[in-house]
Amino acid sequence: MDISVIIPAYNEEKNVSELHKRLSLVLRSLKKNYEIIFVDDGSTDNTYNELVKLNKIDKNVKVIKFRRNFGQTASWKAGFDNAKGNLIFTMDSDLQNDPKDIPRLLEKAEDGFDIVSGWRKKRQDKFLRSFCSKIANKLLSLFLHVPLHDYGCTLTVYRSDVLKGVRLYGEMHRFLPAIANWEGAQVTEVVVNHRKRQFGKS
């Protein structure tokens, strides 16, 4: 398998079908084998039923369901454990990440980088959230010694071998690039689009 895309979803019933449509168009254009792994993180709305529908119409879609909400790190871990791709992409299910950015991240990974992280340079969140995020990212870069602009961007690609042996818990998904870099992985970032949320809430 060439590519796995892992997508946690929590109460995103109005977003997952549209995301699948946009994402599938991009992945098919790459002419590579791929799988899309949705992880329903204990949704209380109709998200899981929407994902089951996608699984029935698209053989590339896999669905993992949690009995309750465990958070993004647990969702990523479940996705990583089940992914078969040599390259593993992660992204959000709320349509704020743009699947059209995937080819540019892929190009960087094929240039030899182990992790290519997205940088939402022009965030579409409220001012206070964006401002606090900028401060947090500067502090993280200072203390972790990995100069990334956006530790909170979910849209990232990893070489699968980089993830082997990494133990995830708490909110550690945010620090994966730094942890991998400490172990010798080559990390870079690419400016990506960021969309306003249309349905649901963060």
Coordinates of all heavy atoms in Angstrom, one line a residue, residues 46-111:
N46 N -24.9 11.4 14.0 CA -25.1 10.4 13.0 C -23.8 10.1 12.2 O -23.8 9.5 11.1 CB -26.2 10.8 12.0 CG -26.8 9.7 11.3 OD1 -27.0 8.6 11.8 ND2 -27.0 9.8 10.0
T47 N -22.6 10.5 12.8 CA -21.4 10.4 12.1 C -21.0 8.9 11.7 O -20.7 8.7 10.5 CB -20.2 10.9 12.9 OG1 -20.4 12.3 13.1 CG2 -18.9 10.7 12.2
Y48 N -21.2 8.0 12.6 CA -20.8 6.6 12.3 C -21.7 6.1 11.2 O -21.2 5.4 10.3 CB -21.0 5.8 13.6 CG -20.7 4.3 13.3 CD1 -19.4 3.9 13.1 CD2 -21.7 3.4 13.4 CE1 -19.1 2.6 12.8 CE2 -21.4 2.0 13.2 CZ -20.1 1.6 12.9 OH -19.8 0.3 12.6
N49 N -23.0 6.4 11.2 CA -23.8 5.9 10.1 C -23.4 6.4 8.7 O -23.4 5.7 7.7 CB -25.3 6.2 10.4 CG -25.9 5.4 11.5 OD1 -25.4 4.3 11.8 ND2 -26.8 6.0 12.2
E50 N -23.0 7.7 8.7 CA -22.5 8.3 7.5 C -21.2 7.6 7.0 O -21.0 7.3 5.8 CB -22.2 9.8 7.7 CG -23.5 10.6 7.9 CD -24.4 10.6 6.6 OE1 -23.8 10.7 5.5 OE2 -25.6 10.4 6.8
L51 N -20.3 7.2 8.0 CA -19.1 6.5 7.6 C -19.4 5.1 7.1 O -18.7 4.6 6.2 CB -18.2 6.5 8.9 CG -17.7 7.8 9.4 CD1 -16.8 7.6 10.6 CD2 -16.9 8.5 8.3
V52 N -20.4 4.5 7.7 CA -20.7 3.1 7.2 C -21.2 3.2 5.8 O -20.9 2.3 4.9 CB -21.8 2.5 8.1 CG1 -22.4 1.2 7.5 CG2 -21.2 2.2 9.5
K53 N -21.9 4.2 5.4 CA -22.4 4.4 4.1 C -21.2 4.6 3.1 O -21.2 4.0 2.0 CB -23.3 5.6 3.9 CG -24.6 5.5 4.6 CD -25.4 6.8 4.5 CE -26.7 6.8 5.2 NZ -27.4 8.1 5.2
L54 N -20.2 5.3 3.5 CA -19.0 5.5 2.7 C -18.3 4.2 2.5 O -17.8 3.9 1.4 CB -18.1 6.6 3.3 CG -18.7 8.0 3.4 CD1 -17.6 8.9 4.2 CD2 -19.0 8.5 2.1
N55 N -18.2 3.4 3.6 CA -17.5 2.1 3.5 C -18.2 1.2 2.5 O -17.6 0.4 1.8 CB -17.5 1.5 4.9 CG -17.0 0.1 4.9 OD1 -17.9 -0.9 5.0 ND2 -15.7 -0.2 4.8
K56 N -19.5 1.3 2.4 CA -20.3 0.4 1.5 C -20.1 0.8 0.0 O -20.2 -0.1 -0.8 CB -21.8 0.4 1.9 CG -22.1 -0.3 3.2 CD -23.6 -0.2 3.5 CE -23.9 -1.0 4.8 NZ -25.3 -0.9 5.2
I57 N -19.9 2.1 -0.2 CA -19.7 2.5 -1.6 C -18.3 2.6 -2.1 O -18.0 2.8 -3.3 CB -20.5 3.8 -1.9 CG1 -19.8 5.0 -1.0 CG2 -21.9 3.7 -1.5 CD1 -20.4 6.3 -1.3
D58 N -17.3 2.6 -1.1 CA -15.9 2.8 -1.5 C -15.1 1.7 -0.8 O -14.9 1.8 0.4 CB -15.5 4.2 -1.2 CG -14.1 4.5 -1.6 OD1 -13.4 3.6 -2.1 OD2 -13.7 5.7 -1.5
K59 N -14.5 0.8 -1.5 CA -13.7 -0.2 -0.9 C -12.4 0.3 -0.3 O -11.7 -0.4 0.5 CB -13.3 -1.3 -2.0 CG -12.4 -0.7 -3.1 CD -12.1 -1.8 -4.1 CE -11.3 -1.3 -5.3 NZ -10.0 -0.7 -4.9
N60 N -12.0 1.5 -0.6 CA -10.8 2.1 0.0 C -11.1 2.7 1.4 O -10.1 3.1 2.1 CB -10.3 3.2 -0.9 CG -9.9 2.7 -2.3 OD1 -9.0 1.9 -2.4 ND2 -10.5 3.3 -3.3
V61 N -12.3 2.8 1.8 CA -12.7 3.3 3.1 C -12.7 2.3 4.2 O -13.4 1.3 4.0 CB -14.0 4.1 3.0 CG1 -14.4 4.6 4.4 CG2 -13.9 5.3 2.1
K62 N -12.1 2.5 5.3 CA -12.2 1.7 6.5 C -12.7 2.5 7.6 O -12.4 3.7 7.7 CB -10.8 1.1 6.8 CG -10.2 0.2 5.8 CD -8.8 -0.3 6.2 CE -8.2 -1.2 5.2 NZ -6.9 -1.7 5.6
V63 N -13.4 1.9 8.5 CA -14.0 2.6 9.7 C -13.7 1.9 11.0 O -13.9 0.7 11.1 CB -15.5 2.7 9.5 CG1 -16.1 3.5 10.7 CG2 -15.9 3.4 8.2
I64 N -13.2 2.7 11.9 CA -12.9 2.2 13.3 C -13.8 3.0 14.2 O -13.9 4.2 14.1 CB -11.4 2.5 13.7 CG1 -10.5 1.7 12.8 CG2 -11.2 2.1 15.1 CD1 -9.0 2.0 12.9
K65 N -14.5 2.3 15.1 CA -15.4 3.0 16.0 C -15.0 2.8 17.4 O -14.8 1.7 17.9 CB -16.9 2.5 15.8 CG -17.9 3.1 16.7 CD -19.3 2.6 16.4 CE -20.3 3.1 17.4 NZ -20.4 4.6 17.5
F66 N -15.0 3.9 18.2 CA -14.7 3.9 19.6 C -16.1 4.0 20.3 O -17.0 4.6 19.9 CB -13.9 5.1 20.1 CG -12.5 5.1 19.7 CD1 -11.7 6.2 19.9 CD2 -11.9 4.0 19.2 CE1 -10.3 6.2 19.5 CE2 -10.5 3.9 18.8 CZ -9.8 5.0 19.0
R67 N -16.2 3.3 21.5 CA -17.5 3.3 22.2 C -17.7 4.7 22.9 O -18.9 5.0 23.2 CB -17.4 2.2 23.3 CG -17.5 0.8 22.7 CD -17.5 -0.2 23.8 NE -17.6 -1.6 23.2 CZ -18.7 -2.2 22.9 NH1 -19.9 -1.6 23.0 NH2 -18.7 -3.4 22.4
R68 N -16.7 5.4 23.2 CA -16.8 6.7 23.8 C -15.7 7.6 23.2 O -14.8 7.2 22.5 CB -16.8 6.7 25.3 CG -15.5 6.3 25.9 CD -15.5 6.4 27.4 NE -14.3 6.0 28.1 CZ -13.2 6.8 28.2 NH1 -13.2 8.0 27.8 NH2 -12.1 6.4 28.9
N69 N -15.7 8.9 23.6 CA -14.8 9.9 23.1 C -13.5 9.7 23.9 O -13.4 10.0 25.1 CB -15.3 11.3 23.2 CG -14.4 12.3 22.7 OD1 -14.0 13.2 23.5 ND2 -14.1 12.3 21.5
F70 N -12.4 9.3 23.1 CA -11.1 9.2 23.8 C -10.1 10.3 23.4 O -9.0 10.4 23.9 CB -10.5 7.9 23.4 CG -11.1 6.7 24.1 CD1 -12.1 5.9 23.5 CD2 -10.7 6.3 25.4 CE1 -12.6 4.9 24.1 CE2 -11.2 5.3 26.0 CZ -12.2 4.5 25.4
G71 N -10.4 11.1 22.3 CA -9.5 12.2 21.9 C -8.7 11.8 20.7 O -8.6 10.7 20.2
Q72 N -8.0 12.9 20.2 CA -7.3 12.7 18.9 C -6.1 11.8 19.0 O -5.9 11.0 18.0 CB -6.9 14.1 18.4 CG -7.3 14.4 17.0 CD -6.9 15.8 16.5 OE1 -6.2 16.5 17.2 NE2 -7.3 16.1 15.3
T73 N -5.4 11.8 20.1 CA -4.2 11.0 20.2 C -4.6 9.5 20.1 O -4.0 8.7 19.4 CB -3.4 11.3 21.5 OG1 -3.0 12.6 21.5 CG2 -2.2 10.3 21.6
A74 N -5.6 9.1 20.8 CA -6.1 7.7 20.7 C -6.6 7.4 19.3 O -6.3 6.3 18.8 CB -7.2 7.5 21.8
S75 N -7.2 8.3 18.7 CA -7.7 8.1 17.3 C -6.5 7.8 16.4 O -6.5 6.9 15.5 CB -8.5 9.2 16.8 OG -9.7 9.4 17.6
W76 N -5.5 8.7 16.5 CA -4.3 8.5 15.6 C -3.7 7.2 15.9 O -3.3 6.5 15.0 CB -3.3 9.6 15.9 CG -3.7 11.0 15.3 CD1 -4.9 11.4 14.9 CD2 -2.8 12.0 15.0 NE1 -4.8 12.7 14.4 CE2 -3.5 13.1 14.4 CE3 -1.4 12.2 15.2 CZ2 -3.0 14.3 14.0 CZ3 -0.8 13.4 14.8 CH2 -1.6 14.4 14.2
K77 N -3.5 6.8 17.2 CA -2.9 5.5 17.5 C -3.6 4.4 16.9 O -3.0 3.5 16.3 CB -2.9 5.4 19.0 CG -2.2 4.1 19.5 CD -0.7 4.1 19.1 CE 0.0 3.0 19.9 NZ -0.5 1.6 19.6
A78 N -5.0 4.4 17.0 CA -5.8 3.3 16.3 C -5.6 3.3 14.8 O -5.4 2.2 14.2 CB -7.2 3.5 16.7
G79 N -5.5 4.5 14.2 CA -5.3 4.6 12.8 C -3.9 4.1 12.4 O -3.7 3.3 11.5
F80 N -2.9 4.5 13.1 CA -1.5 4.0 12.9 C -1.4 2.5 13.0 O -0.7 1.9 12.2 CB -0.5 4.7 13.9 CG -0.3 6.2 13.7 CD1 0.1 6.9 14.8 CD2 -0.6 6.8 12.5 CE1 0.3 8.3 14.6 CE2 -0.5 8.2 12.3 CZ 0.0 8.9 13.4
D81 N -2.0 1.9 14.0 CA -2.0 0.5 14.2 C -2.6 -0.3 13.1 O -2.2 -1.5 12.8 CB -2.7 0.1 15.5 CG -1.9 0.6 16.7 OD1 -0.7 0.9 16.6 OD2 -2.4 0.6 17.9
N82 N -3.6 0.3 12.4 CA -4.3 -0.4 11.3 C -3.8 0.0 9.9 O -4.3 -0.6 8.9 CB -5.8 -0.2 11.5 CG -6.4 -0.9 12.6 OD1 -6.7 -2.1 12.5 ND2 -6.4 -0.3 13.8
A83 N -3.0 1.1 9.8 CA -2.6 1.6 8.5 C -1.6 0.6 7.8 O -0.7 0.1 8.4 CB -2.0 3.0 8.6
K84 N -1.7 0.5 6.5 CA -0.9 -0.3 5.7 C 0.0 0.5 4.8 O 0.9 -0.1 4.1 CB -1.7 -1.3 4.9 CG -2.5 -2.3 5.7 CD -3.3 -3.2 4.9 CE -4.1 -4.2 5.7 NZ -5.0 -5.1 4.9
G85 N -0.2 1.8 4.7 CA 0.6 2.6 3.7 C 2.0 2.8 4.1 O 2.4 2.9 5.3
N86 N 2.9 3.0 3.1 CA 4.3 3.4 3.4 C 4.3 4.8 3.8 O 5.2 5.2 4.6 CB 5.1 3.2 2.1 CG 5.2 1.7 1.7 OD1 5.4 0.9 2.5 ND2 5.1 1.4 0.4
L87 N 3.4 5.6 3.4 CA 3.3 7.0 3.8 C 1.9 7.2 4.5 O 0.9 6.7 3.9 CB 3.4 8.0 2.6 CG 4.8 8.1 2.0 CD1 4.7 8.9 0.7 CD2 5.8 8.6 2.9
I88 N 1.9 7.8 5.6 CA 0.7 7.9 6.4 C 0.4 9.4 6.6 O 1.1 10.2 7.2 CB 0.8 7.2 7.8 CG1 1.1 5.7 7.6 CG2 -0.5 7.5 8.6 CD1 1.3 5.0 8.9
F89 N -0.8 9.8 6.0 CA -1.3 11.2 6.2 C -2.3 11.2 7.3 O -3.0 10.3 7.5 CB -2.0 11.7 4.9 CG -1.0 12.0 3.8 CD1 -0.5 11.0 3.0 CD2 -0.6 13.3 3.5 CE1 0.3 11.2 1.9 CE2 0.2 13.6 2.4 CZ 0.7 12.6 1.6
T90 N -2.3 12.4 8.0 CA -3.3 12.6 9.0 C -4.0 13.9 8.6 O -3.3 14.9 8.1 CB -2.7 12.7 10.5 OG1 -1.7 13.8 10.5 CG2 -2.1 11.4 10.9
M91 N -5.3 14.0 8.9 CA -6.0 15.3 8.6 C -7.3 15.3 9.5 O -7.7 14.3 10.0 CB -6.3 15.4 7.1 CG -7.3 14.5 6.6 SD -7.4 14.7 4.8 CE -7.9 16.4 4.6
D92 N -7.8 16.5 9.6 CA -9.1 16.7 10.3 C -10.3 16.3 9.4 O -10.2 16.3 8.2 CB -9.2 18.1 10.8 CG -8.3 18.5 12.0 OD1 -8.0 17.5 12.8 OD2 -7.9 19.6 12.1
S93 N -11.4 16.1 10.1 CA -12.6 15.8 9.4 C -13.6 16.9 9.2 O -14.7 16.8 8.7 CB -13.3 14.6 10.1 OG -13.6 15.0 11.5
D94 N -13.2 18.1 9.6 CA -14.1 19.3 9.6 C -14.1 20.1 8.4 O -14.6 21.2 8.4 CB -13.8 20.1 10.9 CG -12.4 20.6 10.9 OD1 -11.6 20.5 9.9 OD2 -12.0 21.1 12.0
L95 N -13.3 19.7 7.4 CA -13.2 20.4 6.1 C -12.3 21.7 6.2 O -12.2 22.4 5.2 CB -14.6 20.8 5.5 CG -15.5 19.7 5.2 CD1 -16.8 20.2 4.6 CD2 -14.9 18.7 4.1
Q96 N -11.7 21.9 7.3 CA -10.8 23.0 7.4 C -9.4 22.7 6.7 O -8.7 23.6 6.2 CB -10.6 23.5 8.9 CG -11.8 24.1 9.4 CD -11.6 24.8 10.8 OE1 -11.7 24.2 11.8 NE2 -11.2 26.1 10.7
N97 N -9.0 21.5 6.7 CA -7.8 21.0 6.0 C -8.3 20.8 4.5 O -9.4 20.4 4.3 CB -7.2 19.7 6.5 CG -6.6 19.9 7.9 OD1 -6.6 18.9 8.6 ND2 -6.0 21.0 8.1
D98 N -7.4 21.2 3.6 CA -7.7 21.1 2.1 C -7.0 19.9 1.5 O -5.7 19.9 1.5 CB -7.3 22.4 1.4 CG -7.7 22.4 0.0 OD1 -8.2 21.4 -0.5 OD2 -7.6 23.5 -0.6
P99 N -7.7 18.9 1.1 CA -7.1 17.7 0.4 C -6.2 18.1 -0.7 O -5.2 17.3 -1.1 CB -8.3 16.9 0.0 CG -9.4 17.2 0.9 CD -9.2 18.7 1.2
K100 N -6.4 19.2 -1.4 CA -5.6 19.6 -2.5 C -4.1 19.9 -2.1 O -3.3 20.0 -3.0 CB -6.2 20.8 -3.2 CG -7.5 20.6 -3.9 CD -8.1 21.8 -4.6 CE -9.4 21.5 -5.3 NZ -10.0 22.7 -5.9
D101 N -3.9 20.0 -0.8 CA -2.5 20.2 -0.3 C -1.7 18.9 -0.3 O -0.5 19.0 -0.2 CB -2.5 20.9 1.0 CG -2.9 22.3 1.0 OD1 -2.5 23.1 0.1 OD2 -3.7 22.8 1.9
I102 N -2.4 17.8 -0.3 CA -1.7 16.5 -0.2 C -0.6 16.3 -1.2 O 0.5 15.8 -0.8 CB -2.8 15.4 -0.2 CG1 -3.5 15.4 1.2 CG2 -2.1 14.0 -0.5 CD1 -4.6 14.3 1.3
P103 N -0.8 16.6 -2.5 CA 0.3 16.4 -3.4 C 1.6 17.1 -3.1 O 2.7 16.6 -3.3 CB -0.3 16.9 -4.8 CG -1.8 16.6 -4.6 CD -2.1 17.0 -3.2
R104 N 1.4 18.3 -2.5 CA 2.6 19.1 -2.2 C 3.4 18.5 -1.0 O 4.6 18.4 -1.0 CB 2.3 20.6 -1.9 CG 1.8 21.3 -3.2 CD 1.8 22.8 -3.1 NE 0.7 23.1 -2.1 CZ 1.0 23.7 -1.0 NH1 2.2 24.0 -0.6 NH2 0.0 24.1 -0.2
L105 N 2.6 18.0 0.0 CA 3.2 17.3 1.1 C 3.9 16.0 0.6 O 5.0 15.6 1.0 CB 2.2 17.0 2.2 CG 2.0 18.1 3.2 CD1 1.3 19.3 2.7 CD2 1.2 17.5 4.4
L106 N 3.2 15.3 -0.3 CA 3.7 14.1 -0.9 C 5.0 14.3 -1.6 O 6.0 13.5 -1.5 CB 2.7 13.4 -1.8 CG 3.1 12.2 -2.5 CD1 3.4 11.0 -1.5 CD2 2.0 11.7 -3.5
E107 N 5.1 15.4 -2.4 CA 6.3 15.7 -3.1 C 7.5 15.9 -2.2 O 8.6 15.4 -2.5 CB 6.1 17.0 -3.9 CG 7.3 17.4 -4.8 CD 7.0 18.6 -5.7 OE1 5.9 19.1 -5.6 OE2 7.9 19.0 -6.4
K108 N 7.3 16.6 -1.1 CA 8.4 16.8 -0.1 C 8.8 15.5 0.5 O 10.0 15.2 0.7 CB 7.9 17.8 1.0 CG 8.0 19.2 0.6 CD 9.4 19.7 0.6 CE 9.5 21.2 0.4 NZ 10.9 21.7 0.3
A109 N 7.8 14.6 0.8 CA 8.2 13.3 1.4 C 9.0 12.5 0.4 O 9.9 11.8 0.8 CB 6.9 12.6 1.8
E110 N 8.6 12.6 -0.8 CA 9.3 11.8 -1.9 C 10.7 12.4 -2.1 O 11.6 11.7 -2.7 CB 8.5 11.7 -3.1 CG 7.3 10.8 -3.0 CD 6.4 10.8 -4.2 OE1 6.5 11.7 -5.0 OE2 5.7 9.8 -4.4
D111 N 10.9 13.6 -1.7 CA 12.3 14.2 -1.8 C 13.2 13.7 -0.7 O 14.4 14.0 -0.6 CB 12.2 15.8 -1.6 CG 11.7 16.4 -2.9 OD1 11.8 15.7 -4.0 OD2 11.3 17.6 -2.9

